């Protein structure tokens, strides 16, 4: 828990002072002399600070009359015996300190503390909600300064409270904002300000923002109280500041953004390639193109690439792509992210280390060897052969040079310890429950409903399935699957009857992959198909896989059909076919369900919200918790995950075609109006409208854990949003005349998703119902949907055979040498088909990080947001939402205990916990954060 310090002078009685001469000089004179000596290097920085603090104490005591026996004047009281025309106000300013400032920042902080003594301070000015008749803007108080910054320069705490005093006229009115100027050399994080002295109580200003130094930008910052105002109801004294504050956040498409700036603007994905390093790393621009449409990202303004001025140069070395300053990770999140990076790099390096020291091959020799990564770890030490320094030296040759040597040494210290296997991976939940679950057909079907990617299964509406691709290019659109492939496994039904009874479902990745298969198969150690898989809904409510079709495009066009067989050969061929399907599922999951539909699609919402909605706007305050950290995590993904040669290209089947597949999915599938859970389920045939059913929907599969639990979360969000919107909007006119709101929605459509701006399906924003639906979709995607497709990654993909991310060999044809190899040793053939050691550990390291909850995570329905505190009605509505969320958690636990629900209960079956609202830090496979923060 953060430690807030409000520190009086007495708290410094134990400070060891620097010896001084006995000759008395005025405290302020001594302060100037010490600063002069500091400039000439006569004192250490810390000693100087201590000495100056003592002088500051004496100076303030003299000025307050303490030294001469006079009493100080209590805050908020008049010093005159007559009726005063002025009111004294007392401000408490809470500053959040950096946990680990670098050496330069520490030195500058100390110098800033000294500068404060000489009058170069942090200044504040109150702004009234009432107009000054002379200036025609909000009344301004006289400038005041934080008066105890120097006194608290040595305080060690997460948060420190400072004070400032104001005197305003009795008719000043209620302060609605304050203007702050940071004359320090360093920025600081302003958490909150509370203003005391009014009989009506304290006025609170939730800030949560970095305040830049005037040396970076001479402009001051403005912060508003926690009162909420629609544009039309903004107090006259705050209107100009409201407009100016929003204007300061809007980029104009020009200039290179600087680290300290809070500027939001749009750009296309023109920074994924690294063509300056070679033609193999050139990637197409995503966005501004009918061939590669995509959502917009946050603009950075970096210089153009040398090989192509239409593309942006990459960030090199230790630098990180620009994101607006207030979007950056806070200290706890940054530390968690950094530690995960260290662990990941060491884990990724294990095969190289083992190969370096012991000459191990890249291949896994057996499935038992894969299991040992979790159960036993990887032994890096052999007595008398390997020294810790040798390992550190080897690590230095790997791509981790930006890490601190001490951090590397700490991680690999276990090599010389009594326990040499500390570097093992945590055991995925699937492996903990049943290490053979991935082999079972029922588990294969169950995971389409309750696994890593539960949002792609759909009702089969016609048989045989038909492709929508151009037949002149890809041949006949008709599937090769025929009735006889599955007629004997339909529990007595015919195919037509099962189709009419809505008992046939399909996982269709044919059209998504087929245009890219030839490019994929031309890569080294990549071999894949487009796939279709048909399932049958059993009487027990589970999905039974019936048939798999694997297709190759021209010129080697083929459509191979696989079914579960009775013979050993058919049995193993079916396993190989399932591996290809799981590989395709892993790619669509990561590129489309996860990255595109949550991270990429949400980024324009974050940008537009900051550009077009004032922080005083009720919609801004509702959405703000749901956008925390999203821009920074997306910037990191562009830098190392989805970029040319990044983790996704290295570890996933599509390789360099990965983001093109994501773009194609956006072009053909993504629709804002179908991103809501009910609409998505109806569109896939997984539910139909039924007002007699819970939530107004009847599920096609009653035991569909993702849908059943998701509808609980969706319904709770919908109710909370509805109650919140109703507080501020009473009729359609109030929606239509809200200029900020209309500009916000227009910008999301026409700039944020510009490649889809002309689609007719965009919802209108004309009434309260429209706004409720739009907001609920955004909040669902950033919370419940992201949790469902993200935090199960280690549980299911952490064990590589269950969800291989790429395949290295096609299924052998009879009569070939590969067929003979397969016949002789089918298990070894499967191992040679699955990813090798290096690729497996690269992926496992990444998804371990992606599945980890940070200690500072903010979960849905847990905390009242400080920005809502100005509206009691909103707080009451949120408290009702909290109770609903708590009840949902109990209901999910009850469902997981129900033995009738076989997709979430049974021997070796993982309970469905991905939509449980709360979680502890770490890899838990549960918990719904408010925002897309990992």
């Amino acid at each position: 828990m953060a430690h807030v310090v409000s520190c009086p002078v007495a708290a410094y009685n134990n400070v060891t002072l620097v010896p001084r001469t006995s000759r008395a000089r005025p405290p302020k004179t001594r302060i100037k002399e010490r600063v002069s000596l500091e400039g000439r290097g006569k004192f250490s920085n810390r000693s100087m600070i201590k000495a100056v603090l003592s002088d500051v104490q004496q100076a303030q005591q003299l000025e307050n009359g303490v030294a001469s026996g006079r009493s100080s004047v209590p805050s908020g009281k008049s010093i005159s015996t007559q009726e005063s025309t002025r009111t004294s106000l007392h401000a408490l300013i809470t500053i959040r300190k950096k946990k680990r400032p670098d050496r330069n920042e520490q030195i500058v902080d100390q110098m800033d503390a000294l500068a404060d003594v000489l009058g170069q301070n942090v200044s504040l000015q109150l702004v009234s909600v009432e107009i000054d008749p002379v200036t025609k803007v909000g009344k301004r108080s006289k400038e005041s300064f934080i008066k105890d910054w120097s006194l608290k320069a040595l305080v060690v705490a997460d948060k420190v409270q400072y004070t400032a005093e104001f005197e305003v006229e009795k008719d000043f009115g209620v302060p609605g904002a304050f203007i702050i100027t940071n004359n320090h050399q360093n920025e600081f994080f302003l958490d909150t300000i509370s203003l005391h002295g009014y009989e009506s109580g304290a006025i609170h200003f939730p800030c949560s923002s970095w305040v830049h130094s005037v040396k970076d930008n001479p402009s001051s910052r403005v912060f508003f109280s926690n009162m909420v105002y629609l544009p039309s109801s903004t107090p006259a004294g705050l209107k100009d500041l409201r407009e100016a504050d929003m204007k300061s956040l809007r980029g104009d498409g020009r200039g290179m953004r600087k680290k300290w700036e809070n500027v939001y603007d749009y750009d296309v994905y023109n920074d994924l390639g690294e063509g300056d390093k070679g033609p193999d790393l050139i990637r197409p621009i995503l966005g501004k193109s009918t061939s590669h449409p995509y959502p917009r990202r946050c603009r950075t303004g970096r210089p153009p690439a040398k090989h192509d001025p239409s593309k942006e140069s990459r960030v090199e070395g230790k630098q990180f792509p620009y994101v607006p300053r207030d979007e950056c990770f806070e200290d706890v999140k940054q530390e968690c992210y950094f530690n995960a990076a260290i662990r990941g790099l060491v884990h990724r390096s294990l095969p190289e280390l083992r190969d370096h020291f012991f000459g191990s091959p890249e291949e896994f020799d057996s499935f038992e060897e894969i299991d040992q990564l979790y159960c036993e770890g990887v032994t890096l030490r052999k007595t008398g052969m390997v020294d810790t320094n040798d390992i550190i030296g080897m690590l230095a040759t790997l791509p981790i040079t930006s890490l601190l040597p001490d951090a590397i040494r700490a991680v690999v210290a276990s090599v010389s310890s009594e326990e040499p296997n500390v570097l093992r991976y945590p055991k995925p939940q699937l492996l903990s429950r049943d290490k053979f679950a991935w082999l079972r057909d029922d588990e294969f079907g169950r995971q389409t409903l309750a696994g890593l990617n539960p949002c792609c299964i759909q009702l089969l509406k016609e048989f045989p399935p038909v492709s929508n691709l151009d037949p002149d290019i890809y041949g006949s659109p008709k599937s090769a699957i025929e009735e006889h492939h599955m007629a004997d496994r339909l529990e007595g039904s015919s195919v037509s009857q099962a189709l009419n009874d809505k008992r046939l479902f399909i996982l269709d990745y044919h059209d998504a992959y087929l245009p890219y298969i030839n490019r994929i198969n031309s890569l080294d150690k990549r071999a894949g198909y487009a796939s279709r898989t048909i399932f049958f809904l059993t009487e027990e409510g589970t999905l039974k896989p019936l048939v798999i079709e694997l297709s190759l495009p021209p010129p080697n066009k083929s459509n191979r059909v696989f079914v579960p067989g009775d013979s050993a050969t058919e049995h193993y061929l079916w396993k190989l076919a399932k591996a290809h399907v799981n590989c395709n599922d892993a790619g669509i999951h990561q590129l489309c369900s996860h990255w595109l539909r949550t991270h990429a699609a949400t980024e324009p919402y974050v940008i537009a919200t900051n550009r077009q909605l004032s922080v005083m706007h009720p919609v801004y305050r509702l959405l703000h918790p749901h956008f925390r950290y999203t821009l920074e995590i997306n910037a990191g993904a562009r830098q190392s995950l989805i970029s040319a040669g990044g983790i996704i290209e290295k570890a996933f089947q599509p390789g360099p075609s990965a983001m093109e597949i994501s773009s194609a999915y956006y072009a053909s599938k993504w629709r804002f109006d179908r991103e809501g859970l009910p609409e998505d389920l109806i569109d896939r045939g997984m539910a139909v409208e039924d007002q007699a059913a819970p939530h107004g929907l009847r599920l096609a599969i009653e035991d569909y854990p993702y849908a059943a639990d998701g509808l609980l979360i969706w319904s709770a969000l919908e109710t909370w949003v509805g109650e919140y919107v109703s507080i501020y909007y009473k009729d359609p006119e109030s929606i239509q005349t809200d200029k900020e709101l209309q500009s916000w929605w227009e910008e999301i459509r026409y700039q944020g998703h510009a490649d889809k701006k002309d689609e007719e399906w965009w919802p209108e924003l004309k009434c309260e119902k429209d706004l409720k639906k739009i907001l609920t979709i955004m909040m669902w995607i950033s919370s419940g949907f992201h949790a469902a497709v993200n935090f199960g990654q280690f549980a299911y993909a952490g064990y590589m055979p269950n969800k291989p991310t790429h395949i290295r060999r096609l299924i052998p044809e009879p009569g070939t040498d590969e067929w003979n190899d397969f016949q002789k040793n089918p298990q070894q053939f499967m191992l040679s088909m699955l990813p090798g050691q290096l690729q497996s550990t690269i992926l496992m390291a990444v998804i371990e990080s992606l599945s980890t909850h940070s200690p500072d995570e903010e979960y849905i329905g847990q905390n009242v947001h400080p920005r809502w505190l100005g509206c009691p009605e909103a707080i009451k509505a949120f408290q009702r939402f909290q109770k609903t969320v708590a009840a949902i958690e109990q209901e999910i636990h009850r469902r997981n205990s129900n033995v009738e629900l076989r997709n979430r209960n049974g021997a070796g079956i993982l309970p469905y916990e991905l939509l449980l609202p709360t979680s502890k830090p770490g890899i838990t496979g549960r918990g719904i954060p408010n925002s897309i923060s990992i």
Side-chain angles (χ1 to χ4, degrees), residues 493-623:
S493 295
S494 65
V495 171
S496 60
Q497 184 180 350
L499 196 69
N500 291 334
D501 292 343
K502 298 184 177 180
R503 297 180 69 181
L504 293 179
F505 297 82
I506 186 169
L507 202 58
D508 192 347
Y509 298 138
H510 179 276
D511 290 6
Y513 274 94
L514 197 66
Y516 303 93
I517 289 298
N518 285 337
R519 287 165 60 181
I520 291 170
N521 290 349
S522 68
L523 301 173
D524 182 38
K525 296 183 180 179
R526 290 287 197 281
Y529 303 90
S531 63
R532 294 185 179 105
T533 310
I534 296 179
F535 300 85
F536 176 71
L537 179 62
T538 69
E539 292 291 346
E540 296 175 338
T542 60
L543 285 182
K544 178 170 66 175
L546 300 175
V547 59
I548 293 172
E549 179 185 29
L550 300 180
S551 302
L552 294 175
N556 301 311
K557 182 172 176 62
S558 72
N559 295 286
R560 299 183 66 182
V561 177
F562 301 87
V563 296
D566 297 325
S567 71
T569 298
E570 290 176 322
H571 174 73
Y572 269 102
L573 287 173
W574 176 249
K575 284 184 180 179
L576 300 185
K578 285 198 299 182
H580 276 279
V581 173
N582 279 326
C583 173
N584 287 353
D585 186 64
I588 293 298
H589 162 260
Q590 200 66 265
L591 296 170
C592 304
S593 303
H594 182 205
W595 166 256
L596 170 65
R597 292 182 63 186
T598 66
H599 289 260
T602 297
E603 186 150 348
Y605 312 153
V606 183
I607 299 170
T609 299
N610 284 277
R611 284 169 53 91
Q612 297 299 337
L613 298 180
S614 166
V615 295
M616 293 191 285
H617 198 287
V619 171
Y620 175 94
R621 298 199 172 187
L622 177 68
L623 288 177

Side-chain angles (χ1 to χ4, degrees), residues 59-118:
Q60 291 192 345
Q61 287 173 347
L62 288 172
E63 290 177 357
N64 293 335
V66 175
S68 60
R70 291 184 283 114
S71 61
S72 59
V73 180
S75 174
K77 301 296 183 181
S78 171
I79 61 174
S80 172
T81 56
Q82 301 178 355
E83 183 67 26
S84 174
T85 62
R86 301 179 69 81
T87 299
S88 294
L89 302 175
H90 177 72
L92 291 177
I93 302 106
T94 303
I95 304 292
R96 187 183 302 164
K97 289 202 167 186
K98 288 186 178 180
K99 279 193 171 184
R100 290 179 177 81
D102 61 36
R103 180 61 178 162
N104 289 337
E105 289 175 324
Q106 294 178 42
I107 293 172
V108 171
D109 278 342
Q110 293 171 1
M111 295 305 299
D112 282 340
L114 297 179
D116 270 6
V117 178
L118 301 179

Side-chain angles (χ1 to χ4, degrees), residues 50-223:
K50 290 181 178 179
V52 171
L53 287 179
S54 177
D55 295 335
V56 173
Q57 291 176 26
Q58 292 187 36
Q60 291 192 345
Q61 287 173 347
L62 288 172
E63 290 177 357
N64 293 335
V66 175
S68 60
R70 291 184 283 114
S71 61
S72 59
V73 180
S75 174
K77 301 296 183 181
S78 171
I79 61 174
S80 172
T81 56
Q82 301 178 355
E83 183 67 26
S84 174
T85 62
R86 301 179 69 81
T87 299
S88 294
L89 302 175
H90 177 72
L92 291 177
I93 302 106
T94 303
I95 304 292
R96 187 183 302 164
K97 289 202 167 186
K98 288 186 178 180
K99 279 193 171 184
R100 290 179 177 81
D102 61 36
R103 180 61 178 162
N104 289 337
E105 289 175 324
Q106 294 178 42
I107 293 172
V108 171
D109 278 342
Q110 293 171 1
M111 295 305 299
D112 282 340
L114 297 179
D116 270 6
V117 178
L118 301 179
Q120 298 176 14
N121 207 306
V122 178
S123 69
L124 300 97
Q125 190 176 28
L126 298 178
V127 182
S128 173
V129 298
E130 297 181 6
I131 285 284
D132 186 317
V134 176
T135 63
K136 307 302 181 183
V137 294
K139 296 177 182 178
R140 262 65 162 177
S141 71
K142 287 185 178 180
E143 233 179 4
S144 183
F145 295 88
I146 292 179
K147 65 181 183 179
D148 46 358
W149 193 286
S150 295
L151 288 175
K152 298 175 181 178
L154 299 182
V155 170
V156 178
D158 294 332
K159 296 181 181 181
V160 180
Q161 278 189 343
Y162 301 92
T163 59
E165 304 291 340
F166 297 89
E167 282 200 357
V168 298
E169 298 293 335
K170 292 270 188 186
D171 62 353
F172 181 77
V174 177
F178 69 87
I179 298 168
I180 185 167
T181 305
N182 175 18
N183 292 305
H184 291 162
Q185 298 179 70
N186 273 351
E187 64 180 0
F188 61 81
F189 189 88
L190 180 59
D191 196 49
T192 61
I193 291 183
S194 58
L195 189 64
H196 303 264
Y198 283 96
E199 291 184 1
S200 57
I203 301 173
H204 299 283
F205 299 81
C207 307
S208 298
S209 179
W210 289 96
V211 180
H212 59 256
S213 165
V214 293
K215 75 179 179 62
D216 291 325
N217 182 358
S219 300
S220 301
R221 292 287 308 278
V222 60
F223 293 95

